[in-house]
Amino acid sequence: MSSYQKELEKYRDIDEDEILKTLSPEELEQLDCELQEMDPENMLLPAGLRQRDQTKKSPTGPLDREALLQYLEQQALEVKERDDLVPFTGEKKGKPYIQPKREIPAEEQITLEPELEEALANATDAEMCDIAAILGMYTLMSNKQYYDAICSGEICNTEGISSVVQPDKYKPVPDEPPNPTNIEEMLQRVRSNDKDLEEVNLNNIQDIPIPVLSELCEAMKANTYVRSFSLVATKSGDPIAQPLETPLEELFPSHSRASPQSSEKPPPTLTRVPTTQAVANMLRENRSLQTLNIESNFISSTGLMAVLKAVRENATLTELRVDNQRQWPGDAVEMEMATVLEQCPSIVRFGYHFTQQGPRARAAQAMTRNNELRRQQKKR
């Protein structure tokens, strides 16, 4: 046993209660202050928890916070600012640095022919850059300047020979021209089953009325020649559908339905359904469509589920694109997409970016199988 432990042994049998009884009130108060747990270095604690309360004076009255703040502000305004020890005058002291000119030693001086001296003296920065590239001085230029000078037979550098390496300049891409499709004419051709019409492209047409889209899908049910139907970025979606209160004749003044007296059978009445439901109904009855593209729209998970359920009843569709909707459809819809691809061997191209690993792997396997089946059918 160490000496320190032996020193502590004499305090083992001490009765603390007997010692406390012999202490005076002043000593008890001092002991209470010593036993308080304080953290004086923690600036996040209030002052009452960082140091002991040693005041004995009773409060003179209630605290008036507003009066105290006004007093402190007034006192701060009345205090005179301290003058600078060295006042600022704006005077510049010392001499400006001038870089000394480096004298070229005699052994490094090169004398060229007068024609070359004149050519180099009048050369532009672009020409000097090409000369440096040809001589292999690639450290004086960027990679783009070097390869432009080597690969091109003409002087195409526009930067100086000592320019800082810069990225390629941004080449503005012009906006795509507006879609020239005439919706009224397209609707008439689809309704009349025009044999020369194989593609319906309404991409980026923002002002298509919802009833017109539904009327177009209704006409597509009986069409036998259209192979591709595209509605990219048309603001189509199931939450924005409204009943057909405005007749189609008011939307298109030149459009007219067949009169009851005519021998021609009038077209069927437009069903008051959302755009996605109209597309789903069209897929259930159409037997000629091969490509359907409804990307970049406002279709919700409910609308996508309706389209996917209709794809199961369609055996001619080979390509379906539903990516980039306004909101993520959810795990249930992604699982349904993978199931549809597994149960529909006719689909060989599917446009959607899966966020979950499980549906992504199932969809990849299904697409590989579908393409292999298509390859075997063509081989036969």
Side-chain angles (χ1 to χ4, degrees):
M1 184 180 297
S2 62
S3 59
Y4 178 71
Q5 293 178 345
K6 292 180 181 179
E7 186 71 19
L8 294 179
E9 283 295 328
K10 63 181 180 181
Y11 300 107
R12 182 181 298 276
D13 299 329
I14 292 178
D15 190 359
E16 292 84 357
D17 295 335
E18 292 294 333
I19 297 177
L20 293 176
K21 290 180 181 178
T22 59
L23 296 178
S24 61
E26 292 78 8
E27 293 175 341
L28 289 174
E29 184 178 358
Q30 183 179 1
L31 179 62
D32 184 46
C33 293
E34 294 292 338
L35 294 177
Q36 289 182 5
E37 295 182 1
M38 295 294 175
D39 191 1
E41 297 182 358
N42 190 354
M43 302 301 296
L44 300 178
L45 294 177
L49 298 179
R50 285 188 282 121
Q51 60 183 3
R52 302 182 183 88
D53 185 9
Q54 302 177 5
T55 58
K56 304 297 182 181
K57 183 179 178 182
S58 58
T60 56
L63 174 64
D64 189 352
R65 183 175 182 275
E66 296 297 332
L68 178 60
L69 291 177
Q70 292 179 4
Y71 171 76
L72 294 177
E73 292 176 0
Q74 184 65 27
Q75 187 178 19
L77 293 175
E78 292 178 355
V79 173
K80 185 179 180 181
E81 295 183 359
R82 186 179 61 180
D83 297 335
D84 295 335
L85 297 178
V86 179
F88 177 73
T89 58
E91 180 184 358
K92 293 184 179 180
K93 297 183 179 180
K95 297 180 180 180
Y97 173 75
I98 300 176
Q99 186 176 2
K101 294 183 179 180
R102 176 177 175 271
E103 296 183 0
I104 302 176
E107 59 273 8
E108 296 183 7
Q109 294 182 0
I110 300 175
T111 303
L112 300 176
E113 297 181 1
E115 294 81 2
L116 294 178
E117 288 283 356
E118 183 180 359
L120 292 177
N122 299 327
T124 62
D125 288 347
E127 294 171 343
M128 293 293 292
C129 187
D130 279 11
I131 294 174
I134 295 172
L135 296 177
M137 302 178 183
Y138 54 86
T139 57
L140 301 179
M141 65 201 72
S142 63
N143 290 337
K144 183 177 183 302
Q145 292 174 325
Y146 178 73
Y147 287 110
D148 285 347
I150 293 297
C151 301
S152 176
E154 300 178 357
I155 298 176
C156 55
N157 291 309
T158 58
E159 301 175 354
I161 191 172
S162 59
S163 62
V164 180
V165 177
Q166 298 177 355
D168 296 342
K169 294 184 178 179
Y170 171 73
K171 297 180 180 179
V173 179
D175 296 335
E176 295 183 2
N179 194 333
T181 304
N182 189 328
I183 305 176
E184 178 185 1
E185 180 183 353
M186 184 67 66
L187 179 58
Q188 290 288 358
R189 294 181 64 184
V190 172
R191 184 177 288 163
S192 62
N193 202 11
D194 188 356
K195 64 179 181 179
D196 296 330
L197 180 64
E198 295 185 356
E199 181 181 3
V200 176
N201 186 350
L202 304 179
N203 296 346
N204 302 319
I205 302 179
Q206 304 289 335
D207 54 351
I208 306 178
I210 298 301
V212 176
L213 289 177
S214 300
E215 180 91 358
L216 187 61
C217 293
E218 188 73 21
M220 280 289 299
K221 291 182 179 180
N223 191 282
T224 58
Y225 292 103
V226 175
R227 299 291 182 265
S228 176
F229 189 71
S230 184
L231 290 174
V232 178
T234 56
K235 296 184 178 180
S236 301
D238 41 294
I240 59 176
Q242 297 179 355
L244 184 57
E245 299 176 354
T246 305
L248 205 61
E249 290 80 0
E250 296 184 12
L251 296 175
F252 294 139
S254 60
H255 177 81
S256 60
R257 295 178 180 266
S259 60
Q261 291 80 11
S262 63
S263 59
E264 183 183 355
K265 184 179 179 181
T269 306
L270 176 64
T271 307
R272 299 180 180 181
V273 294
T275 304
T276 50
Q277 189 63 40
V279 172
N281 295 339
M282 179 262 295
L283 289 175
R284 291 188 178 93
E285 299 187 21
N286 185 280
R287 292 298 177 265
S288 63
L289 190 65
Q290 297 179 358
T291 301
L292 176 62
N293 191 346
I294 53 176
E295 292 181 336
S296 303
N297 282 303
F298 296 84
I299 302 175
S300 66
S301 57
T302 305
L304 288 178
M305 289 291 285
V307 173
L308 293 174
K309 290 180 180 178
V311 170
R312 294 182 177 182
E313 305 178 21
N314 189 299
T316 60
L317 194 68
T318 60
E319 181 177 357
L320 176 63
R321 298 186 178 276
V322 297
D323 199 11
N324 194 28
Q325 303 301 328
R326 186 176 185 180
Q327 60 183 5
W328 178 58
D331 295 339
V333 178
E334 291 193 355
M335 295 296 291
E336 182 68 17
M337 291 177 182
T339 304
V340 168
L341 295 178
E342 292 172 348
Q343 298 178 357
C344 299
S346 62
I347 299 180
V348 295
R349 288 184 294 274
F350 184 69
Y352 180 77
H353 180 71
F354 288 91
T355 58
Q356 301 298 324
Q357 179 64 27
R360 185 190 302 118
R362 290 176 53 192
Q365 294 178 359
M367 294 302 296
T368 303
R369 183 205 61 185
N370 294 349
N371 282 274
E372 181 63 21
L373 292 176
R374 175 61 61 88
R375 187 187 67 81
Q376 293 178 1
Q377 291 176 359
K378 290 183 177 180
K379 192 175 181 180
R380 294 174 186 174

